[in-house]
Amino acid sequence: MCSAQVQSPFYDQSAIWPGASDFKLAKNANVVRFKAGETLYVEGESAPYCYQVVSGVVKEYNTLEDGRRQVADFYGVGDLFGISELEDQLHTAEAITDCAVRCYSRDPFLKAVASCPKLSQQLLDTLMARLHSSRERMIMLGRMSAIQRVAAFLIRLSREQKATSNIRFIMSRQDIADHLGLTIETVCRALTEMKKRGVIIFESARLFSIQDTASLEEITHNSN
Amino acid sequence: MCSAQVQSPFYDQSAIWPGASDFKLAKNANVVRFKAGETLYVEGESAPYCYQVVSGVVKEYNTLEDGRRQVADFYGVGDLFGISELEDQLHTAEAITDCAVRCYSRDPFLKAVASCPKLSQQLLDTLMARLHSSRERMIMLGRMSAIQRVAAFLIRLSREQKATSNIRFIMSRQDIADHLGLTIETVCRALTEMKKRGVIIFESARLFSIQDTASLEEITHNSN
DNA sequence: CGTTGTTTTGAGTTTTCTCAACATGTGTGG
DNA sequence: CCACACATGTTGAGAAAACTCAAAACAACG
């Protein structure tokens, strides 16, 4: 396995893409700031840019004709996004928190990557890691119950924030639901159920702690 | 967008990875044959090989502790697989039809790719295309109804086989169900429903034709 | 021509969704 | 600092979708 890298470590400020700052095309890249809730882009057709998070958290989602949404992923510091887009669906990126992103023009970016073995190696590793995690997500969406999905998501948050207490939901319940392929109500009920079982406790709606890591992990494995 | 390439064109004999045959490591790669139903590999831990389909069709799936399966994808002639694997789940590849696959030792493969810009470009394109299609699959699993998923799958088969009549299911209903995150019965009922509506007709259980392409496409878009 | 495996259909149950009400925050202006 | 408004989150009851279990139909194969 190639050197895997954790995806979206929201609170890890260390550069995931250490090469990023000494990109040949770093000069082409301007850093843009967005306020929480602002849309970075909406795209139906071509995607002329790709992006890297400098600070804050961004969500990327697809909207179906009838308004249903699927949040593809959340991106944190260091994460690249906008690399492989869909043409047929409405495709949007939105700032969850205030954030700064480095924008690369797509073609020069890809050209620079192609001409530098080190960069293309990094990009390969990144893509493989992402493919890997999207595999995990397919298992989640295809074969896990509501409570299993939510439990798995809590574990992800815990890993990313490297904490078992005072873990923050940076995203809304709606975002979580749209990411997990559930409704907002079902996400709530799953959280309440885990609270009832004493697996987690809430400091507030957006802040929780894991009481019983083993049970939480067990929920993701056992079907009841 | 980078030159996208269709994934898994089961019946397209043209090389998808044109560089494949003049791989520097082609000498390291031996072609192995499997009978339908045989397991190419089962892996929990490290994945020392990656593979390319020479002929036939292969399915790749993950098994959860309790036996539920998620078929990650079906691979046809030219497709690479085994590149980005999961460590935590039981991960298996199995021949659906009789087939031949070229096996590459993982490390030399990646090294050769790294040392050849053309190859790494090809691999990058492949991975991006795959990421792209896995995005589509997440929308399917997360936000589409049973009949929508099945309809989308039929369209995929039609595209891959470049036909609207006498389209073959090379895989079993169970495989389809495990790919779409449904049960075998639900897949059957969805197919029957489309047959009733006159959207498709069956030549046999594994052979069908599309009667009304527009309606089929409409099913994937409208929620009823 | 029975045996075995796959696909289809049926009936009842479970899970998740929908719609509606209620609760809890959060922020702003008085 | 309080009061109100607006957004976000939670709970409940009934409906819909998909699942489970069981049986029947259909194919493939020796």
Side-chain angles (χ1 to χ4, degrees), chain A:
Chain A
M1 186 89 239
C2 58
S3 62
Q5 46 193 70
V6 184
Q7 214 190 354
S8 313
F10 301 155
Y11 288 76
D12 185 351
Q13 295 293 121
S14 68
I16 295 241
W17 253 54
S21 32
D22 40 272
F23 257 22
K24 240 204 289 186
L25 32 50
K27 53 183 179 233
N28 296 336
N30 48 332
V31 170
V32 183
R33 302 192 160 273
F34 295 91
K35 290 236 157 285
E38 282 184 333
T39 298
L40 311 216
Y41 58 81
V42 186
E43 269 157 44
E45 272 295 314
S46 59
Y49 295 102
C50 54
Y51 309 83
Q52 187 181 30
V53 178
V54 174
S55 71
V57 180
V58 173
K59 73 181 171 198
E60 198 182 24
Y61 61 88
N62 299 97
T63 312
L64 277 70
E65 297 79 359
D66 59 355
R68 284 172 298 176
R69 296 188 328 160
Q70 176 67 35
V71 171
D73 218 340
F74 303 101
Y75 300 110
V77 173
D79 286 336
L80 269 185
F81 63 99
I83 331 166
S84 58
E85 306 312 345
L86 295 176
E87 288 93 33
D88 40 341
Q89 260 95 13
L90 191 62
H91 175 264
T92 313
E94 201 180 301
I96 292 189
T97 64
D98 290 0
C99 66
V101 295
R102 196 175 289 125
C103 306
Y104 302 103
S105 304
R106 189 175 201 79
D107 289 342
F109 175 87
L110 289 173
K111 228 173 242 167
V113 166
S115 69
C116 171
K118 198 180 159 198
L119 284 182
S120 65
Q121 186 56 48
Q122 288 177 324
L123 185 55
L124 274 176
D125 286 353
T126 303
L127 291 183
M128 287 204 242
R130 202 148 301 174
L131 217 37
H132 189 276
S133 80
S134 94
R135 184 76 70 86
E136 253 167 4
R137 208 154 301 138
M138 286 189 326
I139 295 174
M140 204 172 70
L141 294 173
R143 285 291 174 239
M144 288 185 165
S145 69
I147 198 167
Q148 286 182 311
R149 295 183 210 186
V150 175
F153 187 72
L154 296 188
I155 290 171
R156 176 186 167 181
L157 287 180
S158 167
R159 291 231 176 87
E160 284 171 344
Q161 298 180 28
K162 300 192 199 332
T164 54
S165 57
N166 293 313
I167 303 168
R168 281 178 53 78
F169 292 105
I170 41 276
M171 65 293 287
S172 69
R173 296 286 190 274
Q174 186 63 64
D175 289 337
I176 297 171
D178 287 338
H179 182 57
L180 301 181
L182 300 169
T183 59
I184 193 174
E185 294 95 332
T186 304
V187 171
C188 271
R189 284 186 248 268
L191 288 171
T192 306
E193 175 62 26
M194 289 192 270
K195 189 177 72 182
K196 269 186 201 155
R197 294 195 204 170
V199 178
I200 55 172
I201 45 169
F202 280 92
E203 269 75 41
S204 77
R206 294 282 187 109
L207 204 63
F208 73 99
S209 297
I210 299 174
Q211 292 262 283
D212 186 345
T213 312
S215 297
L216 188 57
E217 237 134 45
E218 209 187 296
I219 291 175
T220 66
H221 297 309
N222 286 352
S223 22
N224 43 52

Side-chain angles (χ1 to χ4, degrees), chain B residues 7-163:
Chain B
Q7 213 189 357
S8 315
F10 301 153
Y11 288 76
D12 185 350
Q13 295 295 120
S14 70
I16 295 241
W17 252 53
S21 32
D22 41 271
F23 257 21
K24 240 204 290 187
L25 31 49
K27 53 182 180 235
N28 296 338
N30 47 333
V31 171
V32 183
R33 304 194 158 272
F34 294 91
K35 291 235 158 285
E38 281 183 333
T39 297
L40 310 217
Y41 58 82
V42 186
E43 269 157 44
E45 272 294 314
S46 59
Y49 294 103
C50 55
Y51 309 83
Q52 188 182 29
V53 177
V54 173
S55 71
V57 179
V58 173
K59 73 180 171 200
E60 197 181 25
Y61 61 89
N62 299 97
T63 312
L64 277 69
E65 297 78 0
D66 59 355
R68 285 173 295 176
R69 295 188 327 160
Q70 176 69 35
V71 171
D73 218 341
F74 302 102
Y75 301 110
V77 173
D79 285 336
L80 268 186
F81 63 99
I83 330 166
S84 58
E85 306 312 346
L86 295 176
E87 290 93 32
D88 40 340
Q89 260 95 13
L90 191 63
H91 175 264
T92 314
E94 200 179 302
I96 292 189
T97 64
D98 290 359
C99 66
V101 295
R102 195 174 290 125
C103 306
Y104 302 103
S105 304
R106 189 175 201 79
D107 289 343
F109 175 86
L110 289 173
K111 228 172 242 166
V113 167
S115 69
C116 171
K118 198 180 158 197
L119 284 182
S120 67
Q121 186 56 48
Q122 287 178 325
L123 185 54
L124 274 176
D125 286 354
T126 303
L127 292 182
M128 288 205 241
R130 202 149 301 174
L131 216 37
H132 190 277
S133 80
S134 94
R135 185 75 70 86
E136 252 167 4
R137 207 153 303 137
M138 286 189 326
I139 295 173
M140 204 174 70
L141 294 172
R143 285 290 175 238
M144 287 187 166
S145 69
I147 199 166
Q148 286 181 310
R149 296 182 210 187
V150 175
F153 187 72
L154 296 187
I155 290 171
R156 175 185 167 181
L157 287 179
S158 168
R159 291 232 176 86
E160 284 170 343
Q161 298 179 28
K162 300 192 198 332

